[in-house]
Amino acid sequence: MRRKAWNLVLSLRFKLLCAVLALFFTFAGVTTYFWYDRLTRQASDAAANNLHAMLRISNSNFETALKDLNSVTALVSSNFGNGLNTRIFNYLLSGDEDDVTLLQYRREAEDYIMSLCNFKSYLNSLAVYDRTGNSLSYGLIMDSVTLSSQPWYGPLINGNDDVCFIPPHYYEPDDPHPSKLVFSIARPIRYRGDCIGLVVADIKSTMLNDMFSINNLNGYSMLVVDENAGEIIFPAAENAASLSSQDRTALFRALEQGAPQFSVSLHGKNCLAVTQEASLTGWTVVGFVPYENILSDFLETRTQVLLIALACGMFILLCILLSTSLVTRNLNRLSQAVAKIDQEHLSLDVEIQSLDEVGQLYRQIQFMLRSIRELIADIRRTESEKRDSEIRALQAQINPHFLYNTLNTIQFLASLQGAENIKAVSLALSSMLHVNLNREKLIPVNEEIQYLKNYLEIQEYRFTGKFTSYFSSDTTSQSALIPKLLLQPIVENALLHGIAPQDRAGILQIKFFCLDGALHIRVKDNGKGISPQLLEALSHQPERDDGSHIGIANVRARLHLLFGDAGALWIESEPNLYTIVELSMPCITKENREQYL
């Protein structure tokens, strides 16, 4: 069972199925990603525009209502020198007047304040305080002791600010009832540059709720923040919609960046937030909406699209299974038939007539099997003929060891008879035969030199007094290894084609030296030389049709086979003066000989 499953995984049908499904899901994934990204950006932009519009409307309504109340405090704190407002200044500047006059000033000032506060639905109270703690008021106000303890009191009295907007607070901290939550506007009252009093208007916090509470509108919400004080103005801390300390930290950190639009985590949800500054108070209005509300419609559509994509994928999978079964049917038959081929069975037990690629492959395999059968028959016939030839060759072969022993016998007899020349020739030939019988492919340079000396010693009896040979080698080259019997053809050419045709005696120089990590061998003679035409022919076509200089061709071929481009042979010659044949090859030692065998 496991083997069948593994074969199925390795099958062409499975690979084709995986490839098509991978392409389909890649296309579906990329399309869905770009679609999701585009719709997300569009939905975010639309939500941001909606938030901007809401902020603009809410902020405009808030500032319109606040300006009306702010104008009351501005009117009270202004000294026009005449009119109704002088009643406030008469009271604040009264010093030595009698009690009746003071009572009249007070009654007139309070009537004026009451007239200003009429029909101001959001105004909770309005109070005017002098520097001694006395006050004129409309509604419930804080006492002078509580007033002087407020953190904004001292800077406003002693500073240069004209107005101060005070965040929501309770008159009685021990009784934090929502109805007693107000935010305030405070202004100093100045006369001839000196602060003579203070006007404080307390505004009901319901004004903030009425202007900025939009929680029931598709998840949209608003916050009013005093960035300078690090406080949230709306909603109040006791409100269920207020932020946790972690959310506050994240919000103020995001506001510090100064971006008009950003993302922030509020109430445990990732939200889109936009900001707008209230120009009158300097507070920052923040509108935000959770991304899940923005994308709610899209997420439903995405689920439907994914279900449709899954259904399409299943349908495509079924179609692929059916189509691949039809496409790979002949291929499976051919694969099973090929699996049965072995040395004893060189034929296909199936017939495929289709004209597609599988049919072409079937015909090519049939042709290959027919060629293999013919080749096997030829090999068997050739092997039979080869065995017959080897038997005949063995029957006619002379044992090289018998020849080697015979030469030793000739040497012994020549010594008894006093024929020193025969003894020398047989000794040199015996040494050469010993090198030939050596199975080593690479031999030391000294051994190759000795072989050449034995060869030249024999040739001296053929060319008596015709030539003189010289050998030289540096210390590095003496320990190098070279291919066995590499130089004998070169030396033979120098004798036969260079020195022998001359009437005068010749000189043969053979030099071994190492240069730049390569072994160089230079064979030079002062024979008849080589004509430019023949030298050109040897450079491009080393072996001539008449068979002369075939040794150069063999040596060059051996160098190329053994060393590739690292082996080279070149010839330099001047007619009737000299000929130089130089070989170069890697400097082989006993340590690196294995890579050249």
Side-chain angles (χ1 to χ4, degrees), residues 243-472:
L243 302 181
S244 66
S245 59
Q246 184 177 2
D247 290 345
R248 289 168 55 92
T249 302
L251 176 62
F252 280 102
R253 185 180 295 118
L255 290 172
E256 287 176 0
Q257 305 299 322
Q261 180 175 325
F262 54 87
S263 296
V264 65
S265 178
L266 301 176
H267 301 300
K269 298 178 181 179
N270 191 23
C271 299
L272 171 68
V274 298
T275 63
Q276 191 175 87
E277 184 178 354
S279 58
L280 187 61
T281 61
W283 297 338
T284 300
V285 184
V286 182
F288 65 92
V289 59
Y291 277 105
E292 63 182 26
N293 293 72
I294 297 175
L295 303 175
S296 58
D297 295 336
F298 167 71
L299 293 177
E300 295 178 1
T301 305
R302 183 189 64 178
T303 302
Q304 297 175 359
V305 170
L306 291 178
L307 291 175
I308 294 173
L310 182 60
C312 292
M314 298 299 295
F315 177 74
I316 291 174
L317 176 62
L318 180 60
C319 293
I320 292 173
L321 287 174
L322 294 176
S323 60
T324 53
S325 297
L326 294 175
V327 171
T328 61
R329 181 180 59 182
N330 285 336
L331 188 60
N332 289 332
R333 294 173 58 203
L334 180 60
S335 176
Q336 294 173 3
V338 170
K340 298 178 181 179
I341 296 175
D342 55 24
Q343 295 181 355
E344 304 299 330
H345 187 80
L346 291 173
S347 62
L348 293 175
D349 296 335
V350 67
E351 185 175 356
I352 298 176
Q353 300 294 337
S354 63
L355 300 178
D356 57 8
E357 288 82 357
V358 179
Q360 296 177 10
L361 181 61
Y362 167 77
R363 288 183 286 274
Q364 289 293 331
I365 293 176
Q366 287 282 43
F367 175 77
M368 181 185 68
L369 291 175
R370 186 166 56 251
S371 300
I372 290 175
R373 290 194 296 269
E374 294 175 356
L375 181 60
I376 290 176
D378 290 340
I379 291 175
R380 288 174 177 173
R381 184 172 58 254
T382 302
E383 288 294 328
S384 178
E385 294 175 354
K386 183 178 179 181
R387 283 196 299 270
D388 293 340
S389 298
E390 288 178 348
I391 291 173
R392 290 192 296 271
L394 288 173
Q395 291 174 346
Q397 188 179 36
I398 297 176
N399 192 324
H401 292 283
F402 170 75
L403 180 60
Y404 183 75
N405 293 332
T406 303
L407 287 173
N408 286 335
T409 303
I410 294 173
Q411 178 185 351
F412 175 72
L413 293 175
S415 179
L416 289 178
Q417 299 295 328
E420 294 298 328
N421 53 354
I422 297 177
K423 176 182 176 182
V425 170
S426 62
L427 180 60
L429 183 58
S430 176
S431 298
M432 293 177 64
L433 184 61
H434 177 74
V435 174
N436 278 276
L437 292 175
N438 187 358
R439 298 194 178 190
E440 294 289 340
K441 295 181 180 180
L442 299 174
I443 62 174
V445 167
N446 288 337
E447 191 171 336
E448 179 74 6
I449 291 175
Q450 186 59 46
Y451 179 87
L452 293 176
K453 287 182 177 180
N454 291 331
Y455 170 75
L456 292 175
E457 184 177 356
I458 296 174
Q459 294 298 330
E460 285 178 355
Y461 288 98
R462 179 181 176 185
F463 302 102
T464 305
K466 191 67 176 177
F467 69 91
T468 302
S469 61
Y470 298 95
F471 290 86
S472 65

Side-chain angles (χ1 to χ4, degrees), residues 514-525:
C514 288
L515 182 64
D516 296 332
L519 176 64
H520 292 260
I521 306 170
R522 184 176 298 162
V523 179
K524 180 178 180 181
D525 67 82

